[in-house]
């Protein structure tokens, strides 16, 4: 006897930041999960570093406050130099300040969060292949002891990195390009006068040099590699020569913890959904480290998909809700890839007139604090706005369809359900809508009254804190809720009909 698809677990392939987030958010929403990784254990390579405020907000929803606080270094600003001279300071406000935290520590926080909700990672488990069977996916895996097993899952999430086995098995293309230049990265101790809490960008015709302080007192040094450089060519002496050539002087490197050479790509998957299989994080898109968006984009991919998948898995919403994952996060990924590409090309300008134009534009923008208005909030993840249907309404009482619910209200919302926010004085129609929600949708919709916000509005907030709908009146909001949760409402009607028939 086969198990109904609704009772099957979800397979998450990959236990990096995106996979751990997806597994955690599904488990805490009552969905059984199998999270596997072919590695023998967690990676010790620092790789990604930055956690922007929106990502920190999502992590803190589950836990990890104390552990993250002890391992992260808050940043104060970014500083740009051209030929050793300061041309721009991008100072963070409290709302936009990122944390510097090496990826192994971030992953430890995320594994701790997963364990806190009852989940775990199965290391040494490699996905060999899968086939989609209508309402389920049959996957074949090789386990740590060398044995192979087949198992059925409701859905599969590929969070297995840039060389994704899941993406390859789907035959999904990975469009884009690879930069001609290679780059060198090193985590080292540095003797320098430069502020440890800043990220320093040294631009010069000889190449880009980025230096960022790490929580343990070391620095991350990132620079373009000499033509033809390979991993075997790179050592501390070479990195020191590059720093001397491109930096302002007075930076002495010692005691390296990690030195590597790598290519930078700008690519995204042709599609991030094929039936019951999804791609998130680096399996879906990779780009330059400029802006520090990679890990953050993956975590937000995972969160966006997980709450939607949970609603569908439980039978509360229809499958078409999952279509919005690809459209919403696809828009974000394309923007991130494009922005990182532009910034990387600005770093690498060599022609005198181009350098002068870049430097002058940065000086003006820095002097007028223009970065505070758009760029830094965007980097922080606070300006993400998903495309909303025309019927989703207009900006009302500070709520914008597709955008995040403003703080501090967003922090007070339950992220395990939708929230119906009622502003202004209540009337008979909103009171009736509240009763209907409590009776029919109490498991998936919370109701919150914000009378003090002034203008009357009916706002539906999603579990991820984005505004789903702004309605003009109670009937319009009820119609939206009915459409969103029709499977749940229909199931309830069916149960009531059976009870009535049994009683008769």
């Amino acid at each position: 006897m086969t198990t109904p698809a609704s009772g099957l677990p979800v397979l998450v392939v990959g236990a990096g930041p995106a996979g751990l987030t997806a597994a955690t958010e599904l488990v805490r929403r009552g969905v059984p999960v199998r999270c596997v990784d072919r590695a023998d254990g967690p990676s010790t390579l620092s790789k990604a570093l930055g956690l922007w405020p929106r990502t920190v907000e999502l992590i803190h929803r589950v836990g990890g406050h104390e552990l993250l606080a002890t391992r992260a270094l808050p940043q104060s600003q970014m500083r740009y130099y051209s030929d050793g001279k300061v041309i721009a300071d991008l100072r963070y406000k409290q709302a936009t300040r990122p944390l510097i935290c090496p990826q192994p520590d971030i992953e430890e926080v995320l594994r701790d969060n997963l364990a806190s909700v009852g989940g775990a990672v199965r290391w040494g488990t490699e996905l060999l292949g899968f086939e989609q069977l209508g309402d389920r996916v049959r996957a074949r895996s090789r386990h740590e002891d060398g044995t192979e097993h087949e198992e059925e899952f409701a859905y599969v999430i590929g969070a297995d990195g840039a060389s994704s086995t899941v993406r390859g098995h789907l035959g999904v293309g990975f469009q884009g390009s690879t930069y001609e230049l290679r780059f060198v990265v090193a985590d080292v101790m540095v003797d320098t006068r430069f502020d440890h809490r800043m990220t320093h960008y040294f631009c010069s015709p000889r190449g880009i040099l980025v230096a960022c302080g790490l929580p343990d007192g070391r620095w991350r040094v990132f620079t373009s590699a000499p033509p033809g450089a390979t991993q075997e060519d790179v050592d501390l002496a070479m990195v020191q020569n590059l720093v001397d050539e491109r930096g302002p002087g007075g930076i002495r490197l010692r005691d390296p913890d990690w030195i590597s050479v790598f290519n930078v790509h700008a690519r995204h998957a042709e599609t991030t959904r094929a039936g019951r299989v999804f791609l998130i994080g680096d399996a879906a898109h990779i780009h330059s480290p400029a802006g520090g968006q990679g890990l953050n984009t993956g975590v937000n991919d995972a969160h966006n998909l997980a709450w939607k998948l949970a609603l569908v898995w439980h039978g509360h919403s229809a499958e078409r809700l999952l279509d919005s994952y690809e459209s919403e996060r696809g828009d974000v990924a394309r923007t991130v890839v494009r922005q990182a590409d532009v910034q990387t090309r600005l770093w690498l300008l060599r022609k005198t007139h181009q350098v002068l134009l870049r430097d002058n534009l940065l000086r003006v923008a820095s002097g007028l604090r223009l970065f505070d208005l758009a760029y830094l909030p965007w980097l922080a993840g606070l300006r993400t706005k998903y495309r909303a249907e025309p019927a989703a309404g207009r900006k009302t009482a500070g709520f914008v369809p597709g955008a995040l619910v403003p703080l501090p209200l967003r922090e007070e919302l339950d992220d395990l359900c939708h929230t119906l926010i009622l502003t202004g004085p209540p009337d008979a129609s909103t009171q009736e809508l509240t009763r209907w929600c409590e009776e029919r949708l109490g498991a998936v919709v919370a109701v919150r009254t914000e009378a003090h916000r002034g203008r009357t509005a009916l706002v539906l907030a999603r579990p991820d804190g984005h505004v789903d709908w702004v309605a003009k009146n109670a009937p319009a909001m009820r119609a939206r809720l009915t459409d969103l949760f029709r499977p749940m409402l229909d199931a309830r009607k069916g149960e009531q009909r059976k009870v009535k028939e049994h009683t008769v």
Side-chain angles (χ1 to χ4, degrees):
M1 184 175 181
T2 60
T3 302
S6 60
L8 293 172
V10 172
L11 175 63
V12 177
V13 184
L20 291 169
T21 300
T24 301
E25 293 299 334
L26 286 168
V27 170
R28 65 192 293 254
R29 287 169 166 78
V31 179
V33 170
R34 182 75 44 77
C35 183
V36 303
D37 197 296
R38 66 183 179 183
D40 295 332
S43 172
T44 58
L45 299 179
S46 60
K47 295 182 284 188
L49 286 178
L51 285 177
W52 289 97
R54 174 60 177 161
T55 307
V56 174
E57 179 184 333
L58 295 180
I59 293 174
H60 282 179
R61 285 284 187 171
V62 187
H65 297 72
E66 293 182 6
L67 188 57
L68 190 57
T70 60
R71 294 169 181 247
L73 175 70
Q75 283 275 286
S76 62
Q77 68 182 73
M78 291 187 279
R79 174 167 284 176
Y80 281 82
Y81 307 75
S82 184
D83 269 342
K85 298 178 181 178
V86 178
I87 57 172
D89 280 319
L90 282 64
R91 298 182 181 87
Y92 301 117
K93 296 181 179 179
Q94 184 62 37
T96 58
R97 179 171 293 121
L99 300 177
I100 298 300
C101 188
Q103 188 165 327
D105 291 327
I106 296 171
E107 291 181 0
E108 183 175 347
V109 173
L110 294 173
R111 286 194 302 274
D112 189 68
N113 281 355
L114 176 58
S116 74
V117 297
V121 177
R122 293 194 179 186
W123 299 104
T125 304
E126 180 181 4
L127 177 70
L128 300 177
F130 57 84
E131 57 180 329
Q132 301 199 55
L133 305 172
D135 67 344
R136 64 195 65 212
V137 183
R138 181 176 296 148
R140 188 174 74 260
S141 301
R142 181 185 294 118
H143 295 251
E144 195 171 16
D145 61 2
T147 60
E148 296 183 10
H149 297 277
E150 282 192 346
E151 191 172 357
E152 292 184 343
F153 298 92
Y155 299 93
V156 172
I157 299 175
D160 48 344
S163 301
S164 172
T165 297
V166 175
R167 190 186 66 240
H169 191 77
L170 289 173
V172 171
F174 209 33
Q175 301 173 331
S177 60
T178 300
Y179 290 92
E180 293 182 8
L181 284 176
R182 303 190 80 195
F183 292 82
V184 176
V185 63
D187 289 352
V188 295
M189 295 300 292
V190 176
D191 297 323
T192 180
R193 68 182 188 280
F194 290 101
D195 192 330
H196 194 71
R197 289 180 176 266
M198 292 184 189
T199 300
H200 304 268
Y201 295 87
F202 301 100
C203 303
S204 81
R206 297 168 294 283
I208 179 67
L209 169 65
V210 182
C212 171
L214 302 179
D216 65 356
R218 293 179 183 270
W219 287 73
R220 165 69 55 84
V221 176
F222 170 86
T223 186
S224 46
T230 66
Q231 184 65 45
E232 292 72 27
D233 299 325
V234 178
D235 57 16
L236 183 61
M238 174 188 276
V239 180
Q240 182 68 66
N241 288 337
L242 294 174
V243 169
D244 292 342
E245 179 184 77
R246 294 148 187 198
I251 299 177
R252 185 58 50 191
L253 312 182
R254 56 182 173 83
D255 190 19
D257 184 55
W258 178 48
I259 301 177
S260 183
V261 177
F262 64 97
N263 290 314
V264 171
H265 309 270
R267 299 180 183 275
H268 56 81
E270 291 176 335
T271 180
T272 54
R273 182 189 183 189
R276 289 179 167 266
V277 182
F278 300 84
L279 300 173
I280 63 175
D282 286 354
H285 42 74
I286 54 175
H287 49 82
S288 163
Q293 293 295 300
L295 182 152
N296 295 269
T297 305
V299 168
N300 280 269
D301 286 349
H303 192 277
N304 183 287
L305 176 60
W307 69 261
K308 295 171 182 176
L309 204 57
L311 284 174
V312 174
W313 189 91
H314 283 294
H316 297 328
S317 295
E319 281 270 345
R320 59 186 170 85
L321 176 62
L322 300 176
D323 295 337
S324 65
Y325 164 70
E326 180 167 23
S327 61
E328 290 181 352
R329 297 308 300 172
D331 285 348
V332 171
R334 284 185 287 273
T335 300
V336 168
V337 170
R338 185 168 57 250
Q339 181 276 335
D341 180 63
V342 169
Q343 185 169 338
T344 302
R345 294 184 187 281
L346 287 173
W347 284 352
L348 302 176
L349 291 177
R350 294 176 181 270
K351 295 181 179 179
T352 302
H353 71 280
Q354 294 174 332
V355 171
L356 286 173
L357 178 60
R358 177 198 65 198
D359 294 353
N360 286 330
L361 288 175
L362 283 172
R363 285 190 184 96
V364 171
S366 175
L368 297 176
R369 303 300 297 273
L370 297 181
F371 293 109
D372 293 344
L373 300 177
Y375 183 60
L376 292 180
W378 179 81
L379 286 177
L382 307 178
R383 289 293 176 87
T384 299
K385 182 177 180 293
Y386 298 129
R387 283 183 289 175
E389 301 175 32
R394 299 179 179 180
K395 179 178 180 179
T396 305
F399 299 99
V400 180
L404 287 166
V405 171
L407 289 173
L409 176 58
R410 186 170 74 248
E411 294 179 329
E412 300 174 6
L413 302 182
D414 185 347
D415 71 322
L416 295 179
C417 64
H418 282 68
T419 302
L420 175 59
I421 303 169
L422 306 175
T423 71
D427 57 24
S429 64
T430 56
Q431 291 173 348
E432 173 57 30
L433 177 64
T434 297
R435 285 193 293 271
W436 180 77
C437 285
E438 292 172 346
E439 292 174 3
R440 306 291 182 87
L441 299 174
V444 292
V445 178
V447 180
R448 183 184 180 99
T449 301
E450 293 284 316
H452 66 280
R453 295 186 76 92
R455 185 175 178 182
T456 300
L458 294 89
V459 179
L460 183 61
R462 308 182 338 176
D464 59 3
H466 284 264
V467 176
D468 176 85
W469 212 262
V470 178
K472 295 180 178 179
N473 51 52
M477 180 56 74
R478 178 163 172 166
R480 171 56 183 167
L481 291 166
T482 299
D483 181 61
L484 185 59
F485 299 113
R486 187 175 298 280
M488 183 180 184
L489 293 170
D490 288 346
R492 182 180 175 84
K493 286 182 180 178
E495 292 172 1
Q496 291 175 335
R497 190 180 303 113
K498 288 181 180 180
V499 170
K500 185 175 181 181
E501 291 172 353
H502 180 75
T503 303
V504 171

